[in-house]
Each structure stands twice: as structure tokens, then as C-alpha cells.
Amino acid sequence: LGVSGESLSDQVHQNPPHLITKAEKTVQLSCSHTINGYRIILWYQQLKGNSALNLIGYVNYNAPTTEDQYKNQFSIGGNGAESSTINITLKREHVGTTAIYYCAASKAQC
Ligand SMILES: *[C@@H]1O[C@H](CO)[C@@H](O)[C@H](O)[C@H]1NC(C)=O
């Protein structure tokens, strides 16, 4: 919520809404925001059938960080003050799985 109480979520955009990929292929998702002063974009994964939101990593200004267990599948780029991309490589052992990816914008250090 913003200072005045309005929602900021309509200032965060993600693309594409859906995609399907194949083993060993890399796809890219993007996220952008227009919230003044926010400089971190975080990426989360929610596996189908599981309510947990797993933090994959984030970009603080132009410094990306990916959690160790995700480094072989995900690569984060961009600038948290504006937009970020995440490249996702589908490993063979994950073929047939479905996940939702969320991005979030933040002003504070994680
Ligand atoms: C994502 O993949 C694209 C196309 O292969 C590449 O140009 C870009 O540098 C990659 N981004 C990251 C953050 O690895």
C-alpha cells in the first residue's frame, strides 16, 4: 500500500502471462515497475499444488543475486529501479511441471 492508501500493484507489470517450453530451452520473463524510490525487484516461484512462495533471487539496483539452489536454472538481470528479466532454463527432470512466477518491487534491502 502507498502512503495515501492506494494500491501500488497496478504499477508493477509482468510479461508474458503464460508460456510453455521444452527441456533444455531457456525462456525469459520480464517485470517492470514505475514506483518512485523502489529499487529492488524480487522473483518468486510457486510450484503447482504448493502454496509456498520460493524466493529465487532479486536485483538490487543493477546488482543481481540468485539463491544458491536456483543458480543452475535461473539467471536474473536488469535494474531493480525499473525492470528486471529472469531467464529460466527447463531441466529435463522438471519436464511436465508447472509453476507460477511472481515478481515484486521493494524499496528496502531484503
Ligand atoms: C537471458 O537470455 C538472453 C537471450 O539468450 C540473453 O541475451 C540475456 O543476456 C540473458 N539474461 C541473463 C540475465 O542471463
Side-chain angles (χ1 to χ4, degrees):
L1 292 181
V3 177
S4 60
E6 85 271 31
S7 172
L8 295 176
S9 61
D10 59 355
Q11 293 183 58
V12 183
H13 302 282
Q14 247 182 285
N15 258 301
H18 312 280
L19 63 80
I20 294 173
T21 186
K22 297 182 194 175
E24 312 300 340
K25 296 266 184 212
T26 299
V27 293
Q28 189 172 73
L29 306 183
S30 61
C31 176
S32 62
H33 75 82
T34 54
I35 306 170
N36 237 342
Y38 279 35
R39 60 177 215 174
I40 297 173
I41 293 177
L42 305 103
W43 288 97
Y44 295 90
Q45 181 196 57
Q46 183 178 37
L47 293 171
K48 188 175 183 181
N50 191 321
S51 61
L53 276 187
N54 307 308
L55 178 67
I56 300 167
Y58 55 90
V59 57
N60 183 349
Y61 250 122
N62 54 16
T65 299
T66 303
E67 298 297 310
D68 283 344
Q69 71 269 37
Y70 293 116
K71 279 183 175 158
N72 66 344
Q73 289 175 69
F74 299 96
S75 172
I76 295 172
N79 186 317
E82 291 177 354
S83 62
S84 175
T85 54
I86 187 167
N87 286 358
I88 305 172
T89 303
L90 186 69
K91 299 288 167 192
R92 291 205 175 273
E93 64 265 33
H94 296 140
V95 167
T97 62
T98 299
I100 300 173
Y101 293 93
Y102 296 93
C103 74
S106 170
K107 65 178 151 190
Q109 177 62 50
C110 310

